[in-house]
Amino acid sequence: MSTAAEPRERQLVISGWAVSSPYGLGRRAFAEGLLARTAATAPVDTVKWPVPYEDAGLIPGFDIKEVLGRKGTRSMDRATGIAVVTVGELLEDFGRGLAADPEKTGLVLGTSGSVQSIMDFTKDALTGEKPYLVDPARFPNTVMNCPTGQSAIRHTLKGPNVTVSGGSATGLLALNYASRLLRGGHANALLAGAAEEYSVQRARLERVADHGGAEADPLGEGAALFLLESGDAARDGGRQVLATVLGSRFRAFPESGRAGAALARCVEEVLADAGAAPEDIALVAPGTPAGLLGKQEESALDGVAGERIAVRPLVGDATAASAAFQLAAVLAHAGARPALVDRLALVTALDRDGTVGATLLRLG
Amino acid sequence: MSDRTAATGRRPAARHRVVITGLGVVTSIGTGVDAFAEGLRGGRSGAKPISAFDTTGFAHSNACEITDFEPEAWLRELPADELGRAAQFAVAGARMAVADGGLTEADVRARRSLVSVGTTDGESRDLDHLTGLQVAQGEDTLDPVVARRVWPGRLSAGIVRELGLEDVETVTVPTACAAGNYAVGYGYDAISSGDVEMALCGGADALCRKTFTGFYRLGTIAPDVCRPFDADRQGILTGEGAGILLMESLESALARGARIYAEVLGYGLSCDASHPVAPDRDSIARCITAAHANAGITPADVDFISAHGTGTRANDVTEVGAIRQVFGEDLPRTVSIKSMIGHTMGAASALASAACALALREGFIPPTINHRTTDPECGVDCVPNEAVEADLKVVQNNGLAFGGNNAVLVLGHWEDERSAVA
């Protein structure tokens, strides 16, 4: 998507962010842990989580009822809880004024839903006294837009409410979806990002997935969300421009060995659209997938300048939330280093099912 | 619709007009555009006893199941067991849409494109199967072939891989039962803004135990057939299938002399932000109005409405109430093709979009079948039981979903002889 020709006031900017991660709830814990390069994955309590993994990147002590209270949380699953909490944090810290126009404020959330909720529901149907004696209050949890819809309900977001999914590229796809909605005039401001939950069933399913011929990384969880609006709207709302979204590019690769070439094309095109050069890039937050895909990413980024920020090795494989975490990591670095203002940052993603993507930002 | 050109020029961002030039449909009343069109015109019913899973213990168990689908007939590149049933439907739909649009795979590969597929359940049918294995053989039992294909991203990725696309943005849109309209709307914005030249958009879902059980438990599964807007309606029948629309810019369609089914005039989105499953009248009305504004039309332009029309007590009254709120007492005819193909979940509004495109092209309004007495609380002309011939200019397609997610799409008639002012 080209934005180079766009007047500055109509460019889309990120004017707020929130994160719930294996470092804990909130931006501060995330930024501190990430900048200090502290590993957030730890040995998992396999009594509570009977999973085929030794380590996990869990949000420490995350308990939905403790964070959100008892009201309306009886049937809430972990994916939904994480999304609702993170959306709440974003609105609380950056949403001043948005509440006045709930119909023009919406949410584009990347998630694969909760496989745990889906399988638990079916299990109840298969093991109950009657095949239909399931808890009806848990039925909406088995539909993948539950975290998105519940976040809107809890925080009164009446604008577009969209759920997107695309494996490791999900966060970048969500940001691009939100950008199109804003340019199409469907909203004034959108919260965009992604959420992922840790669960026993996800761990079982991920265990047998294709990890590029390598051992699977520990799984992580959490959410990162960004407030996306026009530069004008941010200034009118008294919000600081944290980054300008210069554009995103996506391509598909037919086999893993060609993922690098596809990603290199994405990077080339997103730079060309923005009238920028590889040497202008100050920060790169790659997806660092395991195995062959990771090697393909390295080769694609070979000629790209800029300091590499590794996120996945610290927080684990957060699948749907991974690219959103990478974007959050860029903002964490930018927040700590004023010298990065006006410099470019690149976030890349490679998904095992064939999608690569690159998003380019101008910081500050 | 003399104001359409002006309307299209209303927003400076809308640089390209967007048209539908190919349809791919897999449904319980027919697979392929001709069979589907015949089914719609003939008021065919897809209702039958469920064979997809064991229904012992349920007092009633009809659904609009597809019993004649052969994945091997459509998959040329991917082995069938790499894809769950929903992705197989999606891939078959995409192949059909490309062929129906008069294109080869190479033609699509040569253009920058978008593939967006909506879904409610993704591959929940496979998750049912895996859960069944765990219950029967132990918690740690897993079928790795099935386990690898359960993620929703594979619905859209399957199309991309099967067609060998590379210059493409690939996204699955699991926004529940309005997902098809979301996916088509996304394609409209992507083409209209000039980001892509072509898009394959729609929705897909496969029948599964999980969803049947959930609706049954809510008391919303009809014992025999689905009767939207009928005084004696008793609920939905679950269904399955896929609808994929080939969309492109008007310039592209005209340049290659493509047959145009319909123009996408615009769409609207809204969120109830009130209740996870009960639809909200005001919010649906707001969504309809947003769609009209985006399309540059007024309610008076709409020739018929393809309703979400699930056939539950609550949905139909609330939905018609919302339509009345926007249109006043003079309602256009309001039909539900769910009476024929059941509630196909994430495919529902995509298949309804395909039906609307066919209706615009061929000049008919599909019927609402199984109809006996119109519920006075609904009070719509639902075109009972028999399709009617009609000269149509503008059609509105409603999609409503769990989570309070509403999406309304507006399609317009394309006249071949009209001068091409893009």
Side-chain angles (χ1 to χ4, degrees), chain A residues 2-27:
Chain A
S2 169
T3 60
E6 223 161 9
R8 203 163 171 119
E9 65 275 10
R10 284 193 51 220
Q11 287 186 348
L12 298 179
V13 304
I14 292 171
S15 53
W17 63 291
V19 63
S20 305
S21 75
Y23 290 115
L25 298 180
R27 288 182 302 282

Side-chain angles (χ1 to χ4, degrees), chain A residues 16 22 57 123 130 193 258 282:
Chain A
K123 189 182 170 191
K130 303 271 188 204
R258 286 165 65 185

Side-chain angles (χ1 to χ4, degrees), chain B residues 386-397:
Chain B
E386 309 264 342
V388 297
E389 302 301 309
D391 182 23
L392 305 169
K393 295 279 184 257
V394 177
V395 171
Q396 171 186 329
N397 180 37

Side-chain angles (χ1 to χ4, degrees), chain A residues 97-106 156-159 188-189:
Chain A
L98 295 179
D101 211 354
E103 298 181 353
K104 285 301 203 178
T105 307
T156 320
L157 300 168
K158 296 187 162 192
N188 291 343

Side-chain angles (χ1 to χ4, degrees), chain B residues 4 27 77-78 91 125 190 201 209 258 293 323 335 338 355 388:
Chain B
R4 181 149 13 116
T27 81
E77 300 299 325
L78 297 175
V91 169
R125 162 98 143 226
C201 304
R209 168 185 282 275
I323 295 169
V335 308
K338 287 187 180 67
V388 297

Side-chain angles (χ1 to χ4, degrees), chain B residues 11 25 28 43 51-52 72 117 131 180 215 220 260-261 287 315 324:
Chain B
R11 288 175 300 128
V25 288
S28 57
S51 70
E72 292 79 10
V117 179
T131 310
F215 280 111
T220 52
I260 293 172
Y261 281 103
C287 188
N315 175 87
R324 197 158 267 133

Side-chain angles (χ1 to χ4, degrees), chain A residues 15-16 27 87-102 105 157 189 191 227 229 233-240:
Chain A
S15 53
R27 288 182 302 282
V87 165
E89 189 202 329
L90 181 54
L91 288 170
E92 198 174 307
D93 292 353
F94 298 94
R96 241 171 309 118
L98 295 179
D101 211 354
T105 307
L157 300 168
L191 283 61
L227 179 57
E229 57 187 337
R235 276 180 284 277
D236 291 350
R239 283 178 285 272
Q240 196 191 333

